[in-house]
């Protein structure tokens, strides 16, 4: 992973994970929105290329992602007003993240399927990070497992009164999310550095 992409991942981590309540149910909504936006954004960029509007691609893509985010917001409000109210402005952050995560404005191939596969692979990898963080905070922060249902969220109690403990309060809080995101960012930086060192040793050995 290039350093530039690493910075983009860190930005997405901070914008999507830190301000959002640490409930797995809300994570599912954001993950679904992110993958939908990456999928639709990739197809939209291909349409822009077909119409030969490359000079307007960035502007058109931003308008498209924001418009789709508004539709997603209204759909979430219709199905679960509580989730929509709780997420608030954060429901629009997947649009920003999709723009950077999939590198949608940067054309990589001439075919739609390889580009779609590349962008969705990146989105799936980051979705795994998001799911882990939200699930960890939900279980060890609140002692529950939550999932979205019509009208709100439903929870399964795993640890009774776990949220009253010191660690539970920490992981359920914004500082706890920041600590987790920082740890993940350091882990990604460490792995990236090790991969680069291994690649350099391999190239020198050739």
């Amino acid at each position: 992973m290039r350093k530039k992409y690493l910075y983009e991942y860190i930005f997405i981590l901070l914008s999507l994970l830190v301000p959002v309540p640490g409930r797995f149910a809300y994570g599912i909504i954001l993950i679904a929105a992110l993958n939908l936006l990456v999928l639709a954004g990739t197809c939209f960029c291909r349409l822009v290329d077909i119409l030969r509007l490359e000079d307007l691609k960035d502007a058109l893509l931003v308008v498209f992602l924001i418009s789709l985010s508004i539709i997603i917001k209204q759909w979430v409000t219709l199905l679960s007003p509580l989730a929509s109210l709780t997420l608030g402005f954060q429901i629009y952050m997947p649009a920003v993240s999709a723009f950077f995560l999939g590198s949608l404005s940067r054309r990589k191939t001439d075919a739609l399927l390889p580009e779609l596969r590349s962008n969705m692979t990146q989105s799936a990898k980051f979705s795994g990070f998001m799911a882990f963080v939200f699930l960890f905070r939900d279980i060890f922060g609140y002692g529950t497992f939550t999932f979205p249902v019509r009208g709100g969220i439903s929870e399964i109690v795993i640890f009774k009164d776990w949220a009253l403990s010191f660690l539970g309060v920490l992981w359920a809080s914004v500082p706890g999310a920041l600590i987790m995101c920082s740890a993940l960012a350091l882990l990604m930086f460490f792995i990236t550095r090790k991969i680069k060192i291994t690649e350099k040793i391999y190239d020198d050995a050739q």
Side-chain angles (χ1 to χ4, degrees):
M1 183 187 298
R2 296 180 183 178
K3 185 179 294 185
K4 180 179 180 181
Y5 296 155
L6 179 61
Y7 292 153
E8 292 178 356
Y9 268 59
I10 293 175
F11 165 77
I12 300 171
L13 276 171
L14 295 176
S15 63
L16 277 180
L17 301 182
V18 174
V20 180
R23 295 284 193 165
F24 187 63
Y26 300 134
I28 292 176
I29 295 174
L30 293 179
I31 289 172
L34 175 64
N35 284 276
L36 176 60
L37 287 163
V38 172
L39 174 63
T42 303
C43 296
F44 179 79
C45 285
R46 182 58 53 183
L47 177 61
V48 171
D49 291 337
I50 293 175
L51 297 177
R52 298 183 179 180
L53 298 173
E54 290 85 354
D55 294 339
L56 300 174
K57 179 183 285 189
D58 288 347
L60 292 174
L61 180 60
V62 169
V63 173
F64 174 77
L65 292 177
I66 293 176
S67 301
L68 185 55
S69 295
I70 294 174
I71 296 175
I72 293 174
K73 169 73 171 180
Q74 297 305 313
W75 181 74
V76 173
T77 302
L78 179 64
L79 294 181
S80 178
L82 176 62
S84 178
L85 180 63
T86 302
L87 289 173
F89 184 77
Q90 290 302 125
I91 197 70
Y92 299 108
M93 290 309 298
V96 181
S97 303
F99 184 85
F100 289 104
L101 183 63
S103 302
L104 299 179
S105 61
R106 295 192 291 267
R107 185 173 182 176
K108 296 178 284 295
T109 65
D110 292 327
L112 174 60
L113 288 181
E115 188 167 349
L116 191 61
R117 187 181 302 113
S118 175
N119 287 342
M120 294 308 299
T121 298
Q122 290 191 57
S123 182
K125 289 179 181 179
F126 190 78
S127 295
F129 276 108
M130 290 181 62
F132 171 78
V133 173
F134 277 108
L135 185 60
F136 182 93
R137 294 182 67 199
D138 200 358
I139 294 177
F140 295 101
Y142 297 93
T144 60
F145 172 78
T146 60
F147 50 92
V149 295
R150 187 174 182 85
I153 64 173
S154 181
E155 68 177 22
I156 299 174
V157 178
I158 299 177
F159 303 116
K160 189 176 181 180
D161 298 331
W162 174 258
L164 298 179
S165 68
F166 169 74
L167 287 178
V169 173
L170 174 63
W171 298 127
S173 64
V174 171
L178 188 59
I179 291 173
M180 287 201 67
C181 289
S182 300
L184 287 174
L186 288 175
L187 179 62
M188 286 191 293
F189 178 78
F190 176 78
I191 293 175
T192 301
R193 185 177 180 183
K194 289 297 183 180
I195 292 176
K196 291 179 65 176
I197 293 175
T198 303
E199 291 177 347
K200 183 177 181 181
I201 294 175
Y202 178 79
D203 292 339
D204 292 341
Q206 297 299 314

